[in-house]
Amino acid sequence: VQLVESGGGSVQAGGSLRLSCAASGFNFGVYVIAWFRQAPGKEREWVGCFSSSDSSTYYSSSVKDRFTISNDHAKDTVYLQMNSLGPDDTADYYCAADDGRIGTCPRNAKFYDSWGQGTQVTVSS
């Protein structure tokens, strides 16, 4: 599976950004795509995910009600809409795929075998 991310950039606090993760090469009819982020000096953090088996989405408590994950099936693209951004959201954002997974998304990065190249998000106060 190949993942290509886009949409990062710099924004002021309170602003919005939308990240895209274009996927190709799935071997199975179902998959999970998750978003992770890693801030400088911090561990990688699970942000949320989309499960294609039932089109469900899940979010970490730190982004719930601010971030929204959506999917364009025709384009095999998953989006991360980020609203009300704050400096704590500054990080490199990655999408990751778990091809063939049914149901809920793992929050542990070790379950994902395909990763995008990452895109940087910087939020200034």
Side-chain angles (χ1 to χ4, degrees):
V1 178
Q2 293 76 45
L3 304 173
V4 178
E5 302 168 25
S6 60
S10 297
V11 65
Q12 290 190 330
S16 300
L17 283 173
R18 189 178 79 159
L19 307 183
S20 301
C21 176
S24 62
F26 287 114
N27 295 308
F28 303 98
V30 291
Y31 57 86
V32 159
I33 288 184
W35 289 95
F36 289 83
R37 66 185 181 184
Q38 188 164 19
K42 295 187 177 181
E43 294 185 354
R44 188 170 297 186
E45 176 190 11
W46 179 84
V47 173
C49 62
F50 168 81
S51 177
S52 74
S53 60
D54 58 2
S55 296
S56 58
T57 54
Y58 304 87
Y59 302 93
S60 71
S61 58
S62 62
V63 307
K64 187 175 174 58
D65 299 328
R66 298 189 299 123
F67 290 12
T68 302
I69 294 173
S70 61
N71 175 60
D72 185 333
H73 180 70
K75 296 181 180 180
D76 277 338
T77 299
V78 173
Y79 302 97
L80 179 65
Q81 176 67 44
M82 305 184 293
N83 298 330
S84 302
L85 285 163
D88 287 348
D89 296 312
T90 294
D92 291 325
Y93 284 71
Y94 300 87
C95 62
D98 184 357
D99 193 11
R101 179 169 291 275
I102 296 173
T104 190
C105 320
R107 300 192 178 203
N108 192 317
K110 71 178 183 180
F111 289 100
Y112 297 88
D113 45 20
S114 301
W115 290 81
Q117 79 281 9
T119 186
Q120 188 174 54
V121 171
T122 302
V123 184
S124 57
S125 58

